Amino acid sequence: MTHLWHELSRGLRDGTLLHTPSRTEEPVSGTALFDRAERTAGAVLAARDGRAPRRVGLLMANGEPWVRGLLAALRLDAAAVPLALPVAFGGADAYAAHVRRIAEDAALDAMLVDGSLGGRIVARVAEAVPHIPFIDIADAPHSR
């Protein structure tokens, strides 16, 4: 996956922009996005005491943090596992059980979140998978 990171970063051009559903910080330059993703990868390593994850869940709505989380996973040579949003489930318990099954089947090492799903849903999912660290990547760290 790090090969993909390098190929994508090498393909950046001056006009490469990320447009997201969010109106804040829109658009984000490709160069800034990759810099933020590199710092986010460092934060994931720090949260895991220097151990690189093999698989990370992306538990958030579409937006810059989601794309940055995907890129951070690629930078860490980890597989990214995007998780469905809770709108199609019959309540928080059903959603938490669904995410728990995926987390167990995929052997997730970390869950990346950004607050876009709301604290109550994330807390319910965290209760369902207490052995997985939840790492808030809403904002990119300031240092690598």
Side-chain angles (χ1 to χ4, degrees):
M1 305 261 191
T2 54
H3 174 70
L4 186 53
W5 164 270
H6 292 293
E7 288 299 316
L8 290 171
S9 62
R10 194 172 64 145
L12 291 175
R13 303 287 180 259
D14 289 339
T16 302
L17 299 171
L18 171 67
H19 295 271
T20 66
S22 169
R23 300 272 185 235
T24 60
E25 295 187 43
E26 176 78 8
V28 177
S29 77
T31 306
L33 179 63
F34 271 73
D35 181 60
R36 291 176 187 180
E38 182 98 37
R39 289 181 279 147
T40 300
V44 171
L45 283 175
R48 291 188 29 83
D49 298 322
R51 294 174 290 117
R54 293 173 297 125
R55 294 175 194 88
V56 298
L58 298 173
L59 185 64
M60 60 189 88
N62 292 337
E64 186 273 345
W66 192 98
V67 176
R68 185 167 32 86
L70 173 64
L71 291 172
L74 294 176
R75 182 67 181 100
L76 293 168
D77 201 25
V81 179
L83 296 158
L85 299 178
V87 295
F89 295 86
D93 289 335
Y95 180 66
H98 174 76
V99 173
R100 184 189 72 245
R101 286 190 300 274
I102 293 171
E104 289 171 356
D105 288 347
L108 295 182
D109 297 312
M111 191 77 72
L112 306 183
V113 298
D114 72 347
S116 61
L117 296 186
R120 289 176 45 196
I121 292 289
V122 171
R124 185 74 58 91
V125 173
E127 289 174 9
V129 289
H131 62 286
I132 298 175
F134 278 58
I135 304 167
D136 187 344
I137 65 164
D139 298 310
H142 295 292
S143 62
R144 289 185 180 219

